[in-house]
Amino acid sequence: MPVSLSRSVWRSTIVGWVAVVGAASAWAAEPGSAIPVPVHTVQQSTVGAGFELDGLIQPVKQSTVSAQTAGRIVSLLVKAGDVVRAGQLLATIDEREALVGAQRSQAQLAQAQADWRVAQANLTRNRELQAKGFVSQAALDIAESQAQGAQAGRDQAQAGMQQAALARGYSRILAPYDGRVQGTDAQVGDLAVPGKPLLTVYAPLPLRVVVQVPGSRSQRIGPTDLIEVRLGGQSGQGTWVQPTARTALPSTDPVAQTVEWRLDLSTQAAQGLVPGQQIAVRFVSAQPAPGPARLLIPAAAVLRRGELTAVYVASERGFLLRAVRLGTDHAGSGVEVLAGLKLGERIALDPVKAGLAGASAAAAR
């Protein structure tokens, strides 16, 4: 019952579509005028084995900004979608603990410097006394060791002071480069700990397409095979462009058994695309596909309206609209037809003109 209902709804959609197109055609065309429409004879051709997959747009440069010190988040100055510049302040973390540590390190440095001055003065005095014969060489050696220890303590205190200043600087989260904020993972008042993500920043350009290819198919993709990405259209429409570079990761996902392919896009091709957008990718082999030849038709002959894909077939009564099921788009060779057409049938190369009243088939080509 559901199958019959879906078929009736589909037929109703096609009939309604034809009625609307016919009404518009009768209004647009002059009475009695003939409109010649070029047609194409459906033929079989041998093409390379190909397939299409859905990929995702991904920024080449993307960073997860995390905290390097512990503390409460005092302010979060950006939100998702904001444009940021390199070095811009993104968030601040409570720095009171770091401030106390800096003060403690400063006091330790002051004490170490005082001990070093005392040790230096004692060493100078012992050298003068030893030169006059009032103290032994052993006493002078002890004074020198004490001076060296005091100097080491002063150096250690200075390093601690620098470390405390660096830790205090970690309370200010800065943008690593020019880009946009993709999303935030924390809010004001949350506890920030080292390694916990706070927000994600990405550079709008360059972009790439990431597609998961089944492992069995990925092994058959050669360096001369064609890989293209569809831009600016949905449901088979749009422009196909080739990536500037392609890379297959040398590992297979242990669960999905897929290989990740990364296809870099040129700056011109990446215009208008955003991370996370779904996009079609087709792989066409340079070697002929095994099995019998396939039915191919020009892509210009396909008429798409939402989920419906159809062609106009020439008949004795004019052009008739017929739904078809398409397969892989083989670039310049045409689109593969899986169902809806037979070998030798003629279809309109201009489906818009074929829907007008008075349209008739011109010479086949």
Side-chain angles (χ1 to χ4, degrees), residues 14-348:
I14 296 178
V15 172
W17 186 20
V18 174
V20 172
V21 173
S25 304
W27 177 82
E30 296 181 0
S33 62
I35 304 176
V37 180
V39 295
H40 171 81
T41 302
V42 180
Q43 300 175 351
Q44 288 183 332
S45 302
T46 302
V47 293
F51 58 93
E52 290 187 16
L53 296 172
D54 290 331
L56 292 177
I57 298 297
Q58 183 184 89
V60 175
K61 184 186 293 186
Q62 178 174 311
S63 303
T64 300
V65 181
S66 304
Q68 292 182 268
T69 186
R72 294 287 176 183
I73 299 177
V74 177
S75 64
L76 187 62
L77 306 178
V78 293
K79 61 182 182 300
D82 286 352
V83 178
V84 297
R85 299 297 180 185
Q88 178 179 335
L89 182 63
L90 304 178
T92 57
I93 299 176
D94 187 0
E95 62 174 0
R96 288 178 295 178
E97 183 177 351
L99 180 61
V100 172
Q103 293 174 347
R104 181 172 58 250
S105 298
Q106 186 175 6
Q108 291 174 349
L109 176 60
Q111 180 180 357
Q113 288 176 337
D115 293 342
W116 176 77
R117 286 193 295 267
V118 171
Q120 287 294 113
N122 184 44
L123 176 61
T124 301
R125 185 165 49 253
N126 276 273
R127 284 175 177 173
E128 294 175 353
L129 294 175
Q130 200 272 340
K132 298 178 181 180
F134 291 105
V135 296
S136 65
Q137 182 64 38
L140 180 60
D141 292 341
I142 293 175
E144 290 178 350
S145 298
Q146 292 175 346
Q148 292 175 357
Q151 183 174 356
R154 187 190 65 168
D155 294 341
Q156 183 178 4
Q158 287 178 343
M161 185 68 182
Q162 294 175 356
Q163 183 178 8
L166 188 62
R168 187 179 179 185
Y170 289 156
S171 62
R172 295 169 54 86
I173 309 300
L174 307 179
Y177 45 76
D178 295 347
R180 299 179 70 94
V181 179
Q182 186 176 29
T184 57
D185 301 306
Q187 300 295 331
V188 175
D190 289 350
L191 178 62
V193 295
K196 179 182 178 181
L198 299 181
L199 47 87
T200 303
V201 179
Y202 73 93
L205 293 174
L207 297 177
R208 64 189 175 199
V209 179
V210 177
V211 58
Q212 303 295 332
V213 182
S216 58
R217 288 185 170 183
S218 180
Q219 296 176 359
R220 296 197 297 265
I221 300 175
T224 60
D225 292 346
L226 178 66
I227 301 179
E228 291 183 314
V229 177
R230 186 172 62 207
L231 303 177
Q234 299 293 334
S235 300
Q237 300 175 346
T239 304
W240 292 95
V241 300
Q242 296 186 28
T244 57
R246 57 186 189 179
T247 305
L249 298 188
S251 60
T252 303
D253 187 282
V255 177
Q257 289 298 299
T258 57
V259 177
E260 181 176 311
W261 280 72
R262 296 178 177 178
L263 312 175
D264 296 341
L265 299 177
S266 63
T267 302
Q268 181 179 1
Q271 297 297 328
L273 300 178
V274 294
Q277 181 178 348
Q278 192 173 22
I279 196 167
V281 181
R282 69 181 176 190
F283 298 80
V284 181
S285 174
Q287 301 297 326
R294 308 183 184 192
L295 292 181
L296 297 178
I297 61 174
V302 181
L303 186 64
R304 304 178 189 271
R305 291 294 184 271
E307 297 296 327
L308 182 63
T309 304
V311 296
Y312 277 100
V313 182
S315 67
E316 296 179 355
R317 296 175 296 173
F319 287 103
L320 300 177
L321 187 65
R322 185 186 298 175
V324 294
R325 185 159 61 95
L326 303 180
T328 303
D329 187 343
H330 294 275
S333 300
V335 184
E336 182 180 351
V337 179
L338 301 179
L341 287 177
K342 297 179 181 180
L343 182 65
E345 288 186 310
R346 297 184 302 163
I347 60 175

